[in-house]
């Protein structure tokens, strides 16, 4: 499966400091475990962990922390340093500095060899193949560009295919398509067909469509008059496309180093859909929720998953109604944001995720 970066390799200059405490002193993060109970270490946390291929920062931190998403707060690094996870490689050792309440990479703080100075060195490596990722990046990579969530207002204004070359019913790679609509400054587009409507589980209103991705097209000629269609060539054909199908600008594919964190604003969301048209999701599956950028969500936001407590009749007290508590059962890692909808990766669940379940800010 493709990784985020298309570069085959990168040259990274790494200066190994004389002592590990000097490295930590340069950081500006206060150990959250000392003041935030939700970022506490596990009572049975190991003293160290040897990094192996396939590890993620989430996995490693989960060996030490009660909540793995707290890892940026206990690594003794500032936010800019944390944004680049390419500083951990298989074979290195993560140590639990119990006195400082932090995780450290390298020798223990009280190591007898702490004063050994290592020379600066240059590592030439294929980072995508060796450096560990923050989360299981390969699972979400296809969702960074497709499938598409098309919100109601966007769908109404999206450019559309109005005709095909020589009257073809369907288009394939290399065929010509004629389009009407506002293209903006974009030249490369995705073609989609509206899929099932996404309804807010609370209001029952349609908040968007999970569109069917059909392929990509490229602008080859702009219409010369207001009533002349723009000409496109089909560059990628995943499914048949034709008249009436809509266009969206092809999104960029930046290298994103996901930094898990609580949302800036209090979030109370609901699960809208499980990708793939099923009703339940498990570990490492993708779901959509009814909150997005307008609610203050950003990439890397972590939400707690819980099941809404049922209202039952109390058989011990004249069958009076009583609401059972909402039961927390997992976490959701938000990785793609739209205006009013977001995609999230299901993390560490004890029960299946169901449509209508709660996704809220960690307590």
């Amino acid at each position: 499966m493709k990784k985020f970066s298309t570069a085959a390799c990168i040259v990274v200059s790494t200066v190994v400091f004389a002592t590990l405490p000097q490295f930590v002193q340069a950081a500006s993060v206060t150990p959250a475990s000392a003041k935030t109970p939700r970022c506490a270490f596990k009572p049975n946390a190991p003293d160290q962990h040897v990094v192996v291929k396939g590890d993620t920062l989430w996995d490693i931190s989960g060996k030490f922390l009660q909540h793995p998403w707290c890892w940026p707060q206990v690594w003794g690094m500032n936010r800019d340093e944390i944004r680049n996870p390419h500083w951990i490689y298989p074979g290195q050792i993560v140590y639990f500095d119990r006195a400082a309440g932090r995780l450290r990479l390298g020798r223990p703080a009280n190591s007898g060899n702490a004063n050994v100075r290592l020379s600066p060195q240059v590592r030439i490596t294929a980072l995508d193949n060796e450096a560990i990722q923050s989360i299981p990046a390969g699972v979400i990579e296809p969702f960074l560009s497709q499938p598409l969530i098309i919100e109601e207002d966007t769908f109404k204004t999206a450019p559309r295919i109005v005709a095909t070359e020589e009257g073809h019913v369907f288009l394939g790679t290399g065929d010509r398509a004629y389009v009407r609509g506002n293209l903006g400054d974009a030249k490369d587009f995705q073609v989609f067909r509206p899929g099932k409507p996404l309804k807010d589980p609370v209001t029952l209103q349609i908040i968007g469509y999970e569109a069917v991705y059909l392929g990509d097209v490229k602008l080859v000629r702009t219409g010369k008059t207001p009533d002349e269609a723009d000409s496109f060539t089909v560059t990628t054909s995943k499914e048949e496309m034709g008249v009436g199908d809509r266009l969206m600008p092809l999104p960029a594919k930046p290298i994103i180093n996901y930094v898990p964190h609580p949302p800036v604003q209090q979030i109370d969301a609901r699960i809208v859909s499980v990708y793939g048209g099923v009703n339940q999701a498990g570990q490492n599956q993708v779901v959509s929720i009814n909150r997005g950028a307008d609610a203050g969500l950003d990439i890397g936001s972590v939400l707690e998953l819980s099941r809404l407590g049922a209202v039952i009749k109390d058989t011990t007290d004249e069958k009076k109604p009583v609401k059972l508590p909402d039961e927390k059962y997992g976490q959701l890692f938000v990785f793609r944001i739209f205006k009013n909808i977001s995609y999230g990766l299901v993390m560490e669940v004890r029960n299946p995720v169901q449509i209508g379940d709660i996704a809220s800010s960690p307590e």
Side-chain angles (χ1 to χ4, degrees):
M1 181 174 287
K2 292 183 179 178
K3 300 292 183 179
F4 291 141
S5 173
T6 56
C9 65
I10 187 169
V11 178
V12 179
S13 298
T14 57
V15 178
V16 181
F17 289 87
T19 64
L20 186 60
Q22 287 177 328
F23 170 74
V24 175
Q25 189 175 9
S28 62
V29 171
T30 301
S33 58
K35 60 181 181 180
T36 309
R38 69 185 181 190
C39 286
F41 285 90
K42 290 181 176 179
N44 60 344
D47 293 325
Q48 65 183 53
H49 170 75
V50 179
V51 181
V52 299
K53 188 174 181 180
D55 273 349
T56 65
L57 286 176
W58 188 288
D59 295 334
I60 294 173
S61 299
K63 298 178 183 298
F64 297 92
L65 291 163
Q66 300 210 16
H67 299 294
W69 59 264
C70 284
W71 65 260
Q73 302 177 54
V74 296
W75 272 98
M77 307 179 78
N78 63 38
R79 191 171 179 84
D80 288 338
E81 290 170 321
I82 290 171
R83 287 185 187 280
N84 181 11
H86 292 148
W87 37 265
I88 299 184
Y89 293 85
Q92 293 179 310
I93 302 176
V94 175
Y95 291 94
F96 179 13
D97 184 340
R98 298 179 186 273
R102 287 184 175 175
L103 299 179
R104 303 182 186 273
L105 184 68
R107 299 187 179 94
N110 296 323
S111 171
N113 296 325
N115 293 323
V116 175
R117 181 180 296 276
L118 300 178
S119 302
Q121 55 186 298
V122 175
R123 178 192 291 269
I124 301 178
T125 180
L127 286 182
D128 287 341
N129 296 327
E130 295 186 17
I132 70 170
Q133 303 282 346
S134 301
I135 59 173
V139 178
I140 66 173
E141 192 272 342
F143 294 87
L144 298 180
S145 58
Q146 49 172 296
L148 298 168
I149 284 180
I150 309 299
E151 292 172 302
E152 188 83 11
D153 53 350
T154 302
F155 172 71
K156 292 178 180 177
T157 59
R160 64 199 182 282
I161 297 176
V162 296
T164 59
E165 185 177 23
E166 297 179 354
H168 291 179
V169 176
F170 296 110
L171 298 170
T173 303
D175 288 343
R176 189 64 53 91
Y178 302 104
V179 173
R180 293 289 303 278
N182 184 7
L183 305 179
D185 297 326
K187 295 183 181 301
D188 297 292
F189 289 79
Q190 292 178 323
V191 182
F192 67 92
R193 185 173 299 137
K196 70 172 184 177
L198 299 177
K199 291 186 177 181
D200 188 306
V202 178
T203 67
L204 301 182
Q205 299 296 311
I206 294 176
I207 55 178
Y209 298 88
E210 197 164 66
V212 179
Y213 168 73
L214 305 177
D216 299 334
V217 294
K218 187 178 185 64
L219 178 66
V220 294
R221 183 180 182 276
T222 303
K224 301 305 180 184
T225 62
D227 63 346
E228 184 180 348
D230 303 303
S231 299
F232 282 79
T233 295
V234 178
T235 56
T236 303
S237 178
K238 181 180 179 182
E239 295 188 28
E240 294 176 333
M241 61 183 78
V243 173
D245 292 332
R246 306 296 181 105
L247 275 61
M248 286 285 291
L250 190 68
K253 294 184 180 180
I255 299 175
I256 301 175
N257 296 326
Y258 297 93
V259 181
H261 59 273
V264 176
Q265 301 178 28
Q266 187 68 25
I267 299 295
D268 181 16
R270 297 292 185 273
I271 303 297
V272 174
S273 69
V274 177
Y275 183 71
V278 295
N279 294 322
Q280 295 184 337
Q283 179 82 16
N284 286 345
Q285 286 187 269
V286 172
V287 299
S288 61
I289 60 174
N290 64 341
R291 296 290 184 270
D294 279 4
L297 280 175
D298 61 350
I299 292 174
S301 293
V302 176
L303 303 174
E304 287 186 329
L305 294 168
S306 55
R307 184 84 21 88
L308 190 65
V311 177
I312 64 170
K313 293 180 179 179
D314 185 354
T315 57
T316 68
D317 187 12
E318 300 179 352
K319 296 185 178 181
K320 293 179 180 178
V322 58
K323 182 185 179 301
L324 301 181
D326 299 341
E327 291 291 343
K328 295 181 174 59
Y329 64 87
Q331 294 163 340
L332 186 70
F333 189 94
V334 178
F335 65 87
R336 190 176 182 192
I337 308 290
F338 300 88
K339 184 179 178 181
N340 294 305
I341 307 175
S342 299
Y343 276 136
L345 182 67
V346 175
M347 308 290 290
E348 300 180 7
V349 287
R350 299 187 301 276
N351 298 309
V353 183
Q354 297 179 359
I355 294 173
D357 281 355
I358 300 169
S360 58
S361 298
E363 294 182 355

